[in-house]
Amino acid sequence: MNPTEIAENASAPPLLIRGVSEPRLEVHKFRTGAVVGASFLALVLQAFVPAHVWKGDVLADLLELPLLVTLYFGLSRRNPSRGLLLGMVIGMAQDGLSGAPIGLFGIAKTLVGYLASTIGARLDVEHPVSRMVLAFAFFHLHHLVYVFTRRWLLAQVAPLMSVRVLVASLVAGLLAWPLFALLDKLRKDEN
Amino acid sequence: MFEIATRRRPYVLLAVALVFQILLLAVQVKRPGNVRLIRVWAVELLTPAERVGSWALDSLSGAWTGYIGLFRANRENQRLRAEVGELALENSKLESQAAEAQRLAALLQFRDTHPDAPLLAARVIGGDAGAARAFYLDRGERDGVQQNMGVITPQGVVGKVLEVYSNTSQVLLLTDKNGGAGALLANSRTQGAAKGTGGPTLELDYVSNEQDVAVGERVLTSGMDHIFPKDLPLGIITEARPGNPFKQIQVRPAARLDRLEEVLILLSRQQWDWAQPAADAAAANAGGRSAAPNVSGGTPPPAVAPKTSPSAQSAAHVNPVQPVKKDQP
């Protein structure tokens, strides 16, 4: 099913016509407080689980829930401005909770939010496989920006690619399937 | 315009968000030396501009200063060139005065070594425009100068007074074709006659071929011409060869006739012990500047009053061409 068919077959009226030549894709709306609540919960879990549940565990570094939440809302809402602002807020909050300099995750998630919104407006992001691939790819993009920011601004050495990073990206991809499906429940009922 | 801004809003927003967070990071991050990154950036951002500004100001200031300096240097150069010219002129004057002082010192020394000689110092004031080898002195009839008086320098005989005017007199050089003096060879005491040739040398006549004459031998005045006292230096033999009927002898004048500036006029032909003091004077004159006494430059040559008795001086002035016997006052 291509994006045009999705738009044409949609029973709900919320369609955004972006131009004659552009494919018409759904712009999903969410329940009140869904974006804020989901983001807050992701931040809390990101700070709580590694510190208290997986204390000292190798899994502690593999979880990146704020990234997945940013990615999901960016892909779903398909608004670059909102996407980058949400990414910025979530990233800066993650910086604050993790003790890193404010802006380190913020920059990376700002770019992720912007690009996810831009891509979401052009591609079918509803399919589970595409969501997993996008989560995997965006994890590496996020890590790339994060490492370059650390190297450039903080003058810190950070590995660009490692087994741990690869595993974390796979985890992010696998986690995106159930998480995105769960977040789909927060969408407003269009009927 | 508004439409373009709206369409580009995500890009602007993205740029603002990224810049904001980068600056936020720069404020928090500290580089080695505990300097915040934002400060490092600010310095690195502003320093080139400040450097360019400073360079521009320095260049402008340097160019202006250089221009002013060049202008001043040019004026200073012109002033110094003028000063160098003036100093060179002054130096030339001083050298001339020093040379004159030396010559005057030699005259004074000569005069001191011949206290009994009635001598009158005179300055050469001009040459003769005609063919004759003659020149003019600044002494004339008012100074007691008369025709046929001898003219000498400490080095030797110069010539004789040809014409006398009230304040000047004309001197005929020994080397003129009409010039000459009674001569004798210093070694053999053989007498002859030195005659001018019109050139730089003299001819010594009336010396027989049998007479031994050596090149370099001194020739003195014989006193037989009733103009010059006996034994005044006349010259040096430069060439001597047999002739018919007499030897042909060339004599180079002892006095530098081409460099005369101050001379002494013999106011009397009285004889005195001339040879030894004259030789001493010549030696002293050759001794150089150190022998020069304190004689101020630029002043007219001193009139050397004869230290003879008034009667003798008067007699010598009245009839200078008359022969005067040796030891006659």
Side-chain angles (χ1 to χ4, degrees), chain B residues 135-299:
Chain B
F135 58 88
Y136 287 91
L137 300 177
D138 64 345
R139 301 288 189 178
E141 195 171 6
R142 289 183 181 177
D143 302 299
V145 180
Q146 296 178 8
Q147 275 190 323
N148 292 324
M149 283 185 167
V151 178
I152 64 172
T153 67
Q155 288 75 38
V157 174
V158 171
K160 67 176 181 180
V161 175
L162 188 64
E163 296 290 344
V164 180
Y165 307 99
S166 60
N167 291 317
T168 58
S169 53
Q170 186 185 29
V171 176
L172 186 69
L173 284 173
L174 271 181
T175 50
D176 186 85
K177 284 184 177 176
N178 296 321
L184 61 82
L185 297 172
N187 295 343
S188 62
R189 308 300 290 179
T190 304
Q191 294 198 3
K195 293 197 279 188
T197 61
T201 58
L202 302 168
E203 280 183 3
L204 183 58
D205 282 347
Y206 309 119
V207 176
S208 67
N209 286 321
E210 289 75 23
Q211 186 64 44
D212 288 335
V213 176
V215 173
E217 186 175 354
R218 291 194 304 137
V219 180
L220 308 175
T221 53
S222 65
M224 299 301 289
D225 52 15
H226 306 300
I227 295 176
F228 300 103
K230 199 175 179 180
D231 291 333
L232 279 174
L234 194 59
I236 302 288
I237 294 176
T238 57
E239 186 181 346
R241 60 187 177 189
N244 189 15
F246 299 103
K247 274 198 168 183
Q248 293 181 345
I249 301 173
Q250 296 290 321
V251 177
R252 187 185 72 224
R256 297 298 303 269
L257 301 182
D258 54 343
R259 295 181 186 178
L260 292 172
E261 291 187 65
E262 293 88 16
V263 295
L264 295 169
I265 303 173
L266 294 169
L267 296 175
S268 167
R269 287 179 304 281
Q270 71 175 79
Q271 245 350 309
W272 63 83
D273 188 10
W274 184 270
Q276 187 59 38
D280 293 345
N285 186 50
R289 293 168 183 258
S290 59
N294 291 330
V295 177
S296 59
T299 54

Side-chain angles (χ1 to χ4, degrees), chain B residues 46-129:
Chain B
L46 295 178
T47 299
E50 288 180 350
R51 195 174 298 154
V52 169
S54 176
W55 175 82
L57 280 177
D58 287 348
S59 300
L60 198 63
S61 173
W64 177 252
T65 306
Y67 171 75
I68 293 294
L70 201 61
F71 180 71
R72 287 180 180 166
N74 187 35
R75 286 174 56 187
E76 183 78 3
N77 190 30
Q78 289 179 347
R79 189 184 66 75
L80 289 175
R81 281 179 185 276
E83 192 174 327
V84 165
E86 291 174 4
L87 289 174
L89 189 62
E90 188 175 348
N91 187 47
S92 176
K93 286 179 183 175
L94 290 174
E95 284 181 350
S96 175
Q97 288 173 356
E100 184 180 16
Q102 270 194 312
R103 293 192 303 271
L104 294 177
L107 288 180
L108 279 176
Q109 192 174 12
F110 181 81
R111 173 65 187 86
D112 289 342
T113 53
H114 302 89
D116 297 332
L119 298 171
L120 177 65
R123 186 189 300 274
V124 176
I125 57 173
D128 197 312

Side-chain angles (χ1 to χ4, degrees), chain A residues 80-81 84-85 88 92 101-104 106-107 110-111 114 149 152-154, chain B residues 9-11 13-14 17-18 20-22 24-26 28-31 37 41:
Chain A
S81 300
L84 73 92
L85 287 175
M88 185 178 79
M92 291 174 72
I102 305 294
L104 192 59
I107 291 172
T110 300
L111 283 170
Y114 174 80
T149 307
W152 178 46
L153 294 178
L154 275 62
Chain B
R9 194 177 69 175
Y11 303 109
L13 202 58
L14 176 66
L18 291 177
F20 169 71
Q21 291 178 93
I22 289 171
L24 195 63
L25 272 175
Q28 304 167 72
V29 173
K30 289 184 178 178
R31 281 289 165 85
L37 186 59
W41 284 357

